[in-house]
Amino acid sequence: RGAAEADADGMGLTDLPGELLELILCCDVLGAADIGRVSCTCRRLREACQPRGKVWRERFRLRWPSLLKYYSHTDSVSWLEEYKARHNAGLEAQRIVASFSKRFFSEHVPCDGFSDIETLGCPSHFFEDELMCILNMEGRKGLTWKYYAKKILYFLRQQNILKNLKEYLQRPTERQSFLEGAVLIDQYCNPLSDICLKSVQAQVDDITDKVRKVLRTKNPRHPSLASKAGEILIPEVELQRQVLDAMNCVLYEQLKYKGNELDYYNSLNSYIHQVLIRRTGIPISLSVLYLTIARQLGVKLEPVNFPSHFLLRWCQGKEGSTDIFDYTYIDAFGKGKQLTVKECEYLIGHHVTEEFYGVVTSKEVLQRMVGNLLNLGKRESTDQSYQLLRDSLDLYLAMYPDNVQHLMLQARLYFHLGIWPEKVLDILQHIQALDPSQHGAVGYLVQHTLEHIERRKEEVGPEVKHRSDEKHKEVCFSIGLIMKHKRYGYNCVIYGWDPACMMGHEWIRNMNVHSLPHGPHQPFYNVLVEDGSCRYAAQENLEYNSEPREIPHPDIGRYFSEFTGIHYLANTELEIRYPEDLELTRAAVQKIYSPGKE
């Protein structure tokens, strides 16, 4: 029967009151196609389902609830058109994500690999929302889609944050909030985390309110109690002292904030949202928090780029004084301790000139924060530290795009990682134009980068390894099996193998491979390890894992599409390279584990 057709009692859908009709049409069991068909039956239902009405708005809300934050209640929106636009953005996102594995399986996503995304014909927040839907898919399937959706989302958000950072740097100095700058750095290094200035500011405001409560018990008439955040500056030094005492009480006694002396070189200490969560940090991050709260309560503290230990200064004399002895220096890392000039020198163990006691701009504060992250990225040679190094270099060069030292470091990093050779050449050309004296280092890198590009052009496609080949008869394990290392005990999954060790003589010597009973003349396996590393393990050192479990490795989706609960299924690109391994993996699983467990 048609939607508008009457029932046996003469009452049809169109005879219902408008509110009841809307309630029925907003029911979550109806889909967009149902609403489309209903709206074609008669004028009454077409009006009930009009594009700007409640029915299509509810349909949009039910399908994509997180997107409603982009709309105001006062907006006149065609919800039907928004629904279509979001649906089409989803299809486009799925198409691009699906294409990435085929295009970039054998290499790092090149710098021009995201060009399709930069020219999207749909709102970016629709595209991002579909990527989040992919990432939030339940279960252990779709691993490859999730892997590339994460990479694309990482790129999109970083591009947007860089744009926000450049806009921030173009503002007048008085409109550059130290807290906002710290949030931008935090967001860029953690683009997949839910970090926003509004949320961070709300947490700082909550601390500020706690300080006001303490201040009220000490001085109910204090001027900072009667004003909104940052509206006034308190001129009297004694009233300022009362604010700082109340801050120290709340931050260090009540909330237990402290400098992280035990784990000083942890990058989390530099991220303001982590400082608020963990209540610990390094001198500069704690100083940004301390300064922000003080200014909201009417006390003007200023940042001091003191060597080895960032400080704040508090004027005790005439405002704007150039005499360093007119200031008290505050150590936010040391529980807000107030220091003299001499005590500042005791803090770092040596004398410094007056210039190091001067106030610095917000840009210089960000430069030091990024510099700290850069140094952390240089400390280790892991994928995580390389990513931190890349992110911090991006941030530094966004602030100082012509800094030759950091441009050279970026070119060398990309060269070392074997990624983006065309980008390396662009950077080197820029360095040569800025500083011709660098021609020696530039020439060396240009030569080797061009050689890398030529070698890549000569590649003829993926090497296919058939288990039926005679040279592969000694290979016992197959792609996707969960293994355990006999000596080191780590859990891992196999994503590649060679019939014998294919590493160079130096690696074989350094890894003491010749001490193994079968030396390098045995199968070796590429494995993803649960600690996030990638290793090359000898066959005699691996055994089946009696309790197989998921391997939490960031690159798992690059090679596998699904975890069955016992083993991983290779994705299409990996299966092309090892076409006979899937059946062998299934046979091994049946043999090793009890039937029906999979």
Side-chain angles (χ1 to χ4, degrees):
R1 290 175 53 173
E5 194 175 331
D7 62 20
D9 299 323
M11 176 68 77
L13 192 59
T14 54
D15 298 314
L16 296 173
E19 287 186 6
L20 183 56
L21 182 58
E22 270 191 352
L23 190 63
I24 293 170
L25 293 173
C26 288
C27 177
D28 59 6
V29 298
L30 296 176
D34 298 322
I35 301 301
R37 285 191 290 269
V38 164
S39 65
C40 294
T41 56
C42 66
R43 180 185 296 175
R44 174 85 198 282
L45 291 174
R46 185 166 61 251
E47 291 173 351
C49 302
Q50 53 109 353
R52 298 180 183 275
K54 182 179 178 181
V55 173
W56 276 110
R57 184 186 187 280
E58 184 63 9
R59 191 62 36 216
F60 187 91
R61 184 193 71 80
L62 288 170
R63 183 76 185 276
W64 303 294
S66 63
L67 290 176
L68 283 187
K69 64 186 177 186
Y70 293 101
Y71 303 93
S72 165
H73 286 293
T74 59
D75 290 343
S76 178
V77 177
S78 173
W79 293 104
L80 173 57
E81 292 306 312
E82 292 297 286
Y83 191 100
K84 289 178 180 177
R86 170 60 183 84
H87 176 73
N88 290 334
L91 295 177
E92 181 67 4
Q94 291 173 27
R95 181 192 69 77
I96 290 175
V97 170
S99 75
F100 264 55
S101 179
K102 185 177 179 68
R103 292 160 60 196
F104 306 125
F105 178 83
S106 300
E107 61 173 330
H108 186 90
V109 180
C111 51
D112 59 354
F114 298 103
S115 55
D116 291 355
I117 301 159
E118 292 177 298
T119 56
L120 283 174
C122 63
S124 61
H125 61 281
F126 283 179
F127 192 86
E128 280 197 26
D129 188 65
E130 183 62 28
L131 295 176
M132 287 302 301
C133 288
I134 293 171
L135 287 174
N136 293 329
M137 285 192 301
E138 293 184 7
R140 299 156 166 177
K141 297 184 178 181
L143 300 180
T144 299
W145 274 46
K146 290 177 182 178
Y147 174 78
Y148 286 106
K150 188 174 181 178
K151 282 194 172 299
I152 295 169
L153 190 61
Y154 202 99
F155 168 80
L156 279 175
R157 289 192 172 172
Q158 283 197 327
Q159 290 300 106
N160 193 46
I161 295 160
L162 268 189
K163 184 176 71 175
N164 293 339
L165 175 61
K166 289 173 182 176
E167 183 274 327
Y168 168 91
L169 293 170
Q170 288 171 356
R171 291 184 212 158
T173 306
E174 63 274 10
R175 289 185 52 232
Q176 291 177 346
S177 150
F178 293 100
L179 186 67
E180 183 179 355
V183 168
L184 286 166
I185 290 173
D186 192 347
Q187 288 174 326
Y188 193 81
C189 294
N190 303 283
L192 300 181
S193 299
D194 187 16
I195 305 163
C196 67
L197 178 60
K198 184 177 180 182
S199 171
V200 170
Q201 184 65 63
Q203 293 176 73
V204 173
D205 290 346
D206 184 57
I207 298 172
T208 306
D209 288 340
K210 286 181 170 63
V211 175
R212 284 197 178 97
K213 287 180 182 178
V214 170
L215 199 55
R216 187 173 285 111
T217 64
K218 304 292 184 183
N219 183 357
R221 296 172 179 262
H222 197 283
S224 66
L225 301 176
S227 63
K228 291 184 179 179
E231 276 190 354
I232 63 163
L233 280 176
I234 301 168
E236 295 87 351
V237 170
E238 181 53 37
L239 291 175
Q240 292 179 18
R241 188 183 305 279
Q242 291 174 11
V243 170
L244 298 181
D245 289 345
M247 282 176 56
N248 291 343
C249 174
V250 170
L251 280 171
Y252 304 112
E253 295 177 27
Q254 293 183 11
L255 299 179
K256 307 298 182 186
Y257 274 80
K258 61 181 180 180
N260 195 346
E261 295 178 346
L262 296 178
D263 194 14
Y264 190 89
Y265 295 104
N266 188 329
S267 61
L268 298 182
N269 295 325
S270 294
Y271 304 139
I272 194 68
H273 88 283
Q274 288 289 351
V275 171
L276 290 164
I277 291 170
R278 300 161 72 240
R279 300 187 181 183
T280 189
I282 52 176
I284 193 166
S285 57
L286 289 169
S287 291
V288 167
L289 176 62
Y290 197 99
L291 175 150
T292 302
I293 296 169
R295 289 193 172 190
Q296 290 187 181
L297 292 166
V299 179
K300 184 182 179 181
L301 300 182
E302 296 173 304
V304 177
N305 216 358
F306 205 65
S308 306
H309 198 107
F310 199 87
L311 296 171
L312 300 170
R313 73 179 193 182
W314 170 34
C315 186
Q316 306 285 288
K318 184 179 178 182
E319 186 177 352
S321 170
T322 57
D323 186 347
I324 63 172
F325 295 98
D326 281 344
Y327 294 88
T328 293
Y329 299 88
I330 296 176
D331 180 12
F333 186 83
K335 298 187 176 182
K337 186 177 180 181
Q338 296 172 10
L339 308 170
T340 64
V341 169
K342 204 68 178 170
E343 287 170 329
C344 290
E345 294 182 350
Y346 289 147
L347 186 67
I348 61 171
H350 60 85
H351 173 72
V352 295
T353 56
E354 288 193 7
E355 63 183 296
F356 290 104
Y357 292 91
V359 67
V360 289
T361 65
S362 53
K363 185 176 180 180
E364 290 168 315
V365 172
L366 296 195
Q367 178 187 350
R368 180 148 172 179
M369 295 183 86
V370 171
N372 288 338
L373 292 170
L374 249 170
N375 290 330
L376 291 178
K378 293 176 184 177
R379 286 173 67 87
E380 299 176 18
S381 297
T382 64
D383 288 346
Q384 190 175 6
S385 63
Y386 285 141
Q387 185 63 59
L388 179 59
L389 191 52
R390 287 172 57 191
D391 290 342
S392 49
L393 277 170
D394 287 344
L395 288 167
Y396 197 97
L397 291 169
M399 293 187 283
Y400 303 97
D402 294 335
N403 185 286
V404 170
Q405 178 187 351
H406 289 84
L407 284 167
M408 184 63 81
L409 179 57
Q410 187 178 57
R412 284 178 171 149
L413 176 64
Y414 292 164
F415 177 78
H416 172 75
L417 296 176
I419 61 174
W420 299 357
E422 292 81 4
K423 172 99 172 177
V424 172
L425 293 178
D426 289 342
I427 296 169
L428 293 172
Q429 186 178 15
H430 185 43
I431 292 170
Q432 188 65 36
L434 290 169
D435 184 3
S437 70
Q438 297 287 331
H439 64 87
V442 167
Y444 174 85
L445 284 174
V446 166
Q447 178 186 342
H448 286 80
T449 302
L450 289 173
E451 289 172 1
H452 172 69
I453 292 171
E454 287 304 312
R455 284 196 302 271
R456 196 174 64 179
K457 288 178 181 177
E458 292 169 3
E459 293 173 0
V460 292
E463 179 187 1
V464 178
K465 295 181 179 179
H466 293 279
R467 294 296 285 269
S468 53
D469 285 359
E470 179 67 19
K471 61 183 178 180
H472 298 153
K473 66 180 181 179
E474 300 298 327
V475 178
C476 295
F477 307 130
S478 50
I479 301 298
L481 286 174
I482 309 295
M483 310 298 291
K484 194 176 191 72
H485 197 280
K486 293 178 182 178
R487 179 183 293 182
Y488 301 121
Y490 61 71
N491 300 306
C492 58
V493 57
I494 296 171
Y495 72 96
W497 50 258
D498 296 309
C501 183
M502 301 299 289
M503 301 299 279
H505 294 299
E506 185 177 352
W507 186 90
I508 290 172
R509 185 177 65 253
N510 290 340
M511 301 303 292
N512 204 21
V513 172
H514 284 293
S515 68
L516 295 172
H518 296 93
H521 307 297
Q522 62 175 309
F524 270 69
Y525 297 84
N526 302 102
V527 294
L528 300 177
V529 184
E530 58 191 343
D531 65 1
S533 64
C534 303
R535 303 192 190 181
Y536 196 49
Q539 181 165 279
E540 65 183 78
N541 280 337
L542 294 176
E543 62 184 357
Y544 294 116
N545 196 314
S546 59
E547 296 181 354
R549 65 188 77 170
E550 281 190 88
I551 304 297
H553 193 284
D555 283 346
I556 203 80
R558 180 176 179 182
Y559 305 102
F560 302 102
S561 60
E562 180 182 344
F563 180 61
T564 68
I566 292 181
H567 68 95
Y568 280 92
L569 295 178
N571 61 22
T572 303
E573 298 307 313
L574 189 62
E575 196 173 348
I576 288 172
R577 289 154 175 79
Y578 299 90
E580 296 164 8
D581 272 43
L582 178 58
E583 289 305 317
L584 291 168
T585 297
R586 285 174 172 162
V589 166
Q590 286 292 328
K591 182 179 178 181
I592 302 159
Y593 307 106
S594 58
K597 187 174 180 181
E598 188 179 7

